[in-house]
Amino acid sequence: MKKIIITLFVCLSCIMIANARWNPSVVDTLSKRVISGLEVIPIRTTYESGGVYWKLRASDFKDYFVRFESKYPGAINYNLNSDKVNEVIADWEDEIWETIVPAEIKALEEFDVGLFIDKDGRVFTAEFSMPDETFQKLEKLSKNTLKNLYRNLIKERCKAIKEVDFQILDTDSDFDRRILFGVCGSLGSGNEYTTIFLNKTCYDMFGTFSTWRLPKDEFNRLRKKYEAEMNGRKQD
């Protein structure tokens, strides 16, 4: 239980570290366009801090949700799963990043991937999120980099997820609301599909998305090492 709670807080912390932004002041959904071979709808969020953040969704993103009654995804409660199921899901997340995400994407300062997964464990669509600095570099990627990444992601399937019940979180709970906001950016949830968020900062820091598998000493060592590297870059 403690490991799962720590992991959730680490993931939420990674989001805050990576994005370093405040409450949104303006959200603009722009017209669709082709970026690196993929037709996307860019969603630009301008924050009170002055930062700009982007979310890219395939132009047919909404079409994939017509079959669901739930407006928002449910959550995976790892405490209810067997250790074997949790290990399989964790291995699958890391494998996606290591084998499917191209080196050009990994080289970007920040680039996060959201996977939308149905009850059969199939990735039925995905979205990409990043700060403005990264967004401005996408046109320099090799031809069809985003297109090929998206196509490869929606071929993915994790059979272990078939054994998982997606949980409807309590929107009256402060803790659950934070999880929901991190998962889908809004309140409300359902049990027909779920989301897995692959946060690049978390992987860069720990070498895995599942920090609960790391011994405490190793967790702290990697965290301090990453923080020192980031401070060094800022000074340069």
Side-chain angles (χ1 to χ4, degrees), residues 23-217:
N23 295 326
S25 54
V26 179
V27 179
D28 295 315
T29 300
L30 308 184
S31 58
K32 62 184 178 181
R33 65 198 62 184
V34 176
I35 299 178
S36 190
L38 180 65
E39 187 175 77
V40 297
I41 295 176
I43 302 171
R44 179 180 61 204
T45 303
T46 306
Y47 290 84
E48 292 177 0
S49 61
V52 175
Y53 207 78
W54 294 87
K55 185 175 290 184
L56 303 182
R57 293 175 170 174
S59 57
D60 58 352
F61 180 82
K62 290 185 178 180
D63 296 343
Y64 292 102
F65 296 87
V66 175
R67 60 190 171 111
F68 301 118
E69 293 184 8
S70 304
K71 187 176 181 181
Y72 300 110
I76 297 178
N77 186 337
Y78 292 89
N79 294 310
L80 301 180
N81 303 335
S82 67
D83 290 343
K84 181 179 179 181
V85 167
N86 287 338
E87 287 286 351
V88 171
I89 294 174
D91 288 340
W92 179 66
E93 293 172 1
D94 289 347
E95 184 180 358
I96 284 178
W97 190 263
E98 292 161 3
T99 63
I100 292 181
V101 178
E104 280 188 279
I105 295 293
K106 294 175 184 174
L108 297 173
E109 190 68 24
E110 295 177 34
F111 187 98
D112 302 327
V113 178
L115 304 175
F116 293 78
I117 305 163
D118 64 21
K119 282 189 171 183
D120 290 324
R122 294 186 178 88
V123 178
F124 60 88
T125 190
E127 66 180 18
F128 309 119
S129 52
M130 69 212 72
D132 189 58
E133 293 81 0
T134 299
F135 178 76
Q136 300 302 328
K137 297 176 182 178
L138 295 184
E139 292 294 351
K140 297 180 181 180
L141 295 175
S142 300
K143 184 179 180 180
N144 295 331
T145 298
L146 274 187
K147 179 180 180 180
N148 292 335
L149 173 58
Y150 180 79
R151 285 185 172 181
N152 288 330
L153 287 173
I154 61 176
K155 293 177 183 177
E156 280 294 309
R157 181 183 180 188
C158 180
K159 293 182 179 180
I161 290 181
K162 293 179 69 174
E163 302 179 40
V164 175
D165 290 326
F166 302 153
Q167 302 298 301
I168 299 177
L169 298 182
D170 181 7
T171 55
D172 291 327
S173 162
D174 288 340
F175 184 71
D176 284 357
R177 281 203 302 272
R178 290 174 186 172
I179 297 174
L180 281 167
F181 189 82
V183 170
C184 59
S186 186
L187 299 181
S189 62
N191 59 1
E192 296 178 275
Y193 65 97
T194 192
T195 336
I196 287 180
F197 185 73
L198 305 182
N199 182 275
K200 184 178 185 295
T201 298
C202 184
Y203 190 89
D204 288 346
M205 191 183 302
F206 301 108
T208 179
F209 295 110
S210 303
T211 57
W212 50 268
R213 298 197 286 187
L214 297 173
K216 182 179 179 181
D217 291 345

